[in-house]
Amino acid sequence: MSKNHLIKNIVIVADLKNIEDKKIILYGIITDIIFSSSLIKKNSDFQNFTQDFFGVQFKGYVYKSRTLLLARCLRLIEKYDLEKVNVLIDKLLLVFNIHPPKNSKNNSKNLDVLLAWKKVINHE
């Protein structure tokens, strides 16, 4: 999927109100990010990705398989409540430079980490 299409989906998910609809579209967005070697080239970069976006670290073998990593990330999203889903969406909005997140509670450290991911995704 192209980066422009990914950005359109992030905008769509940000405007939705129903948590189940948000989760369904987030599944697709996260799938595209994980399977896109143009966005994240090396599997080893996913250790920082999961820590920064989901706040978790998996065992090393999970990062060797994008398919296994995707399954773990989707399982996390499935368990999220509305607040956690919205925080994840805000992080995606910031990284893809769509517009500033609404009512963001991120501190400056989180903002710095997300801006670093923005540089990785935009190949800066």
Side-chain angles (χ1 to χ4, degrees):
M1 179 181 291
S2 73
K3 190 173 176 181
N4 289 335
H5 191 66
L6 189 62
I7 289 171
K8 287 179 188 177
N9 283 339
I10 294 170
V11 170
I12 289 169
V13 77
D15 291 334
L16 293 174
K17 303 295 181 210
N18 183 330
I19 187 170
E20 293 304 318
D21 293 340
K22 285 184 177 207
K23 285 182 180 181
I24 289 170
I25 295 177
L26 267 177
Y27 295 155
I29 292 169
I30 296 301
T31 300
D32 288 338
I33 291 171
I34 290 176
F35 284 152
S36 174
S37 57
S38 64
L39 292 178
I40 301 176
K41 295 187 186 299
K42 299 185 295 182
N43 284 12
S44 59
D45 292 336
F46 283 113
Q47 291 180 352
N48 292 330
F49 174 80
T50 57
Q51 181 63 46
D52 297 339
F53 280 82
F54 296 99
V56 298
Q57 281 293 117
F58 300 118
K59 293 191 178 188
Y61 70 90
V62 174
Y63 298 105
K64 293 181 181 183
S65 167
R66 289 183 185 229
T67 306
L68 182 55
L69 178 64
L70 174 65
R72 298 287 178 97
C73 291
L74 295 183
R75 189 177 303 153
L76 289 172
I77 294 171
E78 178 60 31
K79 295 177 181 179
Y80 279 2
D81 61 5
L82 183 59
E83 183 178 338
K84 284 186 176 183
V85 167
N86 286 333
V87 168
L88 181 58
I89 292 168
D90 287 346
K91 289 177 182 180
L92 290 169
L93 289 169
L94 181 65
V95 166
F96 284 93
N97 198 27
I98 298 170
H99 55 75
K102 304 171 207 159
N103 300 325
S104 177
K105 297 178 183 176
N106 292 335
N107 59 30
S108 62
K109 181 181 176 189
N110 287 343
L111 183 62
D112 292 341
V113 168
L114 294 174
L115 290 175
W117 271 105
K118 177 181 170 186
K119 288 180 183 179
V120 169
I121 289 175
N122 291 326
H123 304 293
E124 296 174 359

